[in-house]
Amino acid sequence: MPQQQTLTPEQKRQERLRRWQQPAGVQFASDEVAAGYRQRVQNLIDVLELRRPQWIPVCPMSGCYPFVYAGITLQDAMYDHARLSAAMLRYHTDFQPDFGASSMLFGLGGVLETLDYKLYHWPGHGIPANRPYQCVEDEYMKADEYDHLLNDPSDFFMRCFLPRIFGALEPFRAMAPLTDILEIPSAGLFAMPFGLPAMQQTLRRLLAAGDAAMAWIQTSSAISGRLAATLGLPTLVGGFTKAPFDCIGDTMRGTRGIMLDLYRQPRQVLAAVERFVPLAIEAGVRSANASGCPLVMLPLHKGADAFMSRRNFEKFYWPTLKAVVLGLIEQGVIPYLFVEGSYNQRLDLIRDPEIPAGKTFWVFDRTDLREVKKHFTGWACIGGNVPVSMLVASTPDEIRTHVRDLLRDCGGDGGYVLTTGAPIDDARAENVHALIAAGREFGVHG
């Protein structure tokens, strides 16, 4: 974005919205498709800014469903880019949601296998071919390593964390800190590990992973481009970052480790989450810059009612999450907070008056959306509360009734997006059609 340092936060936001609504390099198939694309973006801008849209955006979280619907395995979607692309196009063509789903969680099989990724199992690798990703929790950061992380996060990641989660990067443990490279002798010491056979094998694997990653990102970009150009579907999620507590607790210390740390070394936890605030902001802004879409998703994990007490949420989770949200807003980015689990006990906390109105988007899984509406009206756009279980076990008529009531209670005055509370992996096609049709029937404002 031009002259970012001279723009106000609102000017940065408007420039990002302009780029999103007028995407560079997209050759629309017709004027009608182009107009549909721009209207869909405008509808979302309207609800984000708490105005009544022409129609309420309808965008279920598709998850693995496009591949289930296409009749291919999730393993196929991880390794076969042609099948991945065909399945994504078929899903969007047949169901016509208002926004294109990202394919970036798929097509990665070659990259992950080449690097011997240990943090997750994926379809066909550690789990059956038709089951979704599964995190393999462990203490990939040890309880006594907070000081190393705090002193130099990049060095900790390079020499400790990454060799634990990527088997191919095990030789990185032999490297000295890059800050050692200050004089002539240190140049030789820096280069020495790269002469080791194991490190040279690692470098060859990195080259192969790089080739696989280029094929993956080219496929993903082509899918998004085709959905925009032929169907007029914008991308909803332009980037990704995390709550600082989840950065530490999800995949570094793990659930057990971080919960013990809250009581055994709370000062270290607080220092670590504060250290991650600028890193999380930068990651979100950088990803939005690259994609051209201003919405950056933050999936909220360990702040849910079932994971920690209200007191611990106030102390360990919310202050740094709030700081990230404000930092993203400062850069014109729109935080998209996916509130997993239930937040019924802390709605008053997250409805924070220091976060400006009309600048955030909150999608809720199990939280009572009617209570959310009471707290968030006039402050933030909300979405969610269509249970995934309904799309598996209910009838189309039951879904129609649920959507009608949900839009009546939460969507009438704007500030609402019709979406599901979680990915619709195992949905039935007739129920997905019913969800989208009901959104069209009851969500038109004219």
Side-chain angles (χ1 to χ4, degrees):
M1 295 174 63
Q3 299 180 335
Q4 273 286 294
Q5 69 276 12
T6 67
L7 302 179
T8 67
E10 181 58 25
Q11 288 171 330
K12 293 175 185 177
R13 175 187 170 95
Q14 291 304 319
E15 174 62 16
R16 291 185 187 279
L17 292 174
R18 184 195 66 78
R19 291 176 61 208
W20 187 31
Q21 199 160 29
Q22 301 174 22
V26 175
Q27 299 295 319
F28 291 104
S30 67
D31 291 343
E32 182 181 7
V33 171
Y37 176 97
R38 295 188 180 102
Q39 185 59 56
R40 290 182 181 95
V41 172
Q42 186 59 53
N43 285 343
L44 192 65
I45 293 172
D46 287 341
V47 295
L48 290 171
E49 296 181 352
L50 309 178
R51 299 188 297 267
R52 285 165 60 97
Q54 185 171 332
W55 70 82
I56 292 174
V58 183
C59 44
M61 296 185 192
S62 61
C64 301
Y65 182 69
F67 317 116
V68 175
Y69 178 68
I72 67 172
T73 67
L74 303 188
Q75 183 176 354
D76 291 334
M78 288 298 298
Y79 290 92
D80 189 326
H81 290 178
R83 287 188 171 187
L84 165 64
S85 300
M88 292 295 288
L89 183 62
R90 179 180 174 187
Y91 164 76
H92 290 90
T93 300
D94 289 1
F95 291 95
Q96 294 285 318
D98 279 319
F99 288 85
S102 172
S103 63
M104 292 187 72
L105 284 175
F106 299 91
L108 274 169
V111 176
L112 302 179
E113 280 206 6
T114 301
L115 294 177
D116 187 19
Y117 190 50
K118 299 179 182 299
L119 189 55
Y120 274 79
H121 293 316
W122 60 91
H125 186 99
I127 53 176
N130 262 329
R131 302 315 305 161
Y133 289 92
Q134 178 64 54
C135 183
V136 183
E137 279 214 7
D138 202 349
E139 293 188 9
Y140 299 103
M141 170 183 160
K142 307 304 180 185
D144 61 356
E145 291 179 333
Y146 276 98
D147 285 342
H148 187 177
L149 174 70
L150 292 168
N151 289 337
D152 191 339
S154 291
D155 184 66
F156 176 77
F157 267 68
M158 180 69 73
R159 298 194 300 122
C160 295
F161 182 64
L162 295 183
R164 289 171 184 159
I165 67 168
F166 292 113
L169 303 189
E170 175 70 24
F172 278 17
R173 295 177 187 269
M175 295 176 64
L178 298 181
T179 47
D180 285 0
I181 309 170
L182 297 172
E183 294 287 352
I184 286 178
S186 57
L189 294 172
F190 161 71
M192 188 173 63
F194 295 94
L196 300 173
M199 181 68 83
Q200 292 176 353
Q201 175 63 21
T202 285
L203 297 178
R204 286 190 287 270
R205 293 176 75 172
L206 281 170
L207 289 171
D211 289 340
M214 288 300 296
W216 160 74
I217 197 64
Q218 289 166 2
T219 296
S220 181
S221 297
I223 290 170
S224 296
R226 188 170 180 185
L227 294 179
T230 63
L231 299 177
L233 302 183
T235 298
L236 180 62
V237 179
F240 176 85
T241 190
K242 295 183 71 171
F245 188 92
D246 290 335
C247 292
I248 305 294
D250 283 354
T251 53
M252 297 180 71
R253 290 292 291 129
T255 303
R256 180 180 182 276
I258 194 68
M259 294 305 173
L260 290 175
D261 292 345
L262 296 186
Y263 298 95
R264 293 178 176 176
Q265 44 184 343
R267 291 183 181 178
Q268 292 284 63
V269 174
L270 288 172
V273 296
E274 288 166 4
R275 186 70 180 85
F276 263 87
V277 168
L279 304 178
I281 294 170
E282 183 182 349
V285 171
R286 192 169 55 246
S287 57
N289 289 346
S291 72
C293 172
L295 279 86
V296 169
M297 177 180 277
L298 296 88
L300 307 186
H301 295 151
K302 291 182 168 57
D305 293 340
F307 272 110
M308 64 170 59
S309 68
R310 180 183 171 95
R311 178 180 178 184
N312 280 342
F313 181 84
E314 290 184 81
K315 181 177 181 179
F316 294 102
Y317 199 93
W318 177 242
T320 50
L321 172 57
K322 174 183 169 181
V324 171
V325 168
L326 290 173
L328 294 173
I329 293 171
E330 181 73 17
Q331 295 303 317
V333 170
I334 301 168
Y336 168 178
L337 298 107
F338 177 27
V339 186
E340 301 186 34
S342 167
Y343 267 53
N344 288 314
Q345 299 172 16
R346 49 209 58 175
L347 289 174
D348 59 318
L349 297 176
I350 61 177
R351 200 284 189 212
D352 193 304
E354 294 183 9
I355 296 175
K359 305 298 185 186
T360 55
F361 176 36
W362 301 73
V363 170
F364 291 88
D365 176 13
R366 297 176 182 272
T367 310
D368 183 343
L369 208 64
R370 290 162 180 84
E371 285 300 312
V372 173
K373 186 69 175 176
K374 292 177 185 177
H375 285 83
F376 281 34
T377 293
W379 180 70
C381 179
I382 61 175
N385 247 195
V386 177
V388 173
S389 59
M390 288 196 73
L391 296 176
V392 177
S394 296
T395 66
D397 284 343
E398 289 170 334
I399 290 169
R400 182 178 180 275
T401 299
H402 179 84
V403 170
R404 180 199 65 196
D405 294 346
L406 192 59
L407 295 187
R408 178 197 63 208
D409 295 341
C410 299
D413 57 354
Y416 178 73
V417 173
L418 180 61
T419 186
T420 49
I424 61 172
D425 295 345
D426 298 312
R428 292 161 50 201
E430 60 268 31
N431 287 343
V432 180
H433 280 299
L435 168 65
I436 294 173
R440 301 276 190 266
E441 178 182 357
F442 299 113
V444 175
H445 288 148

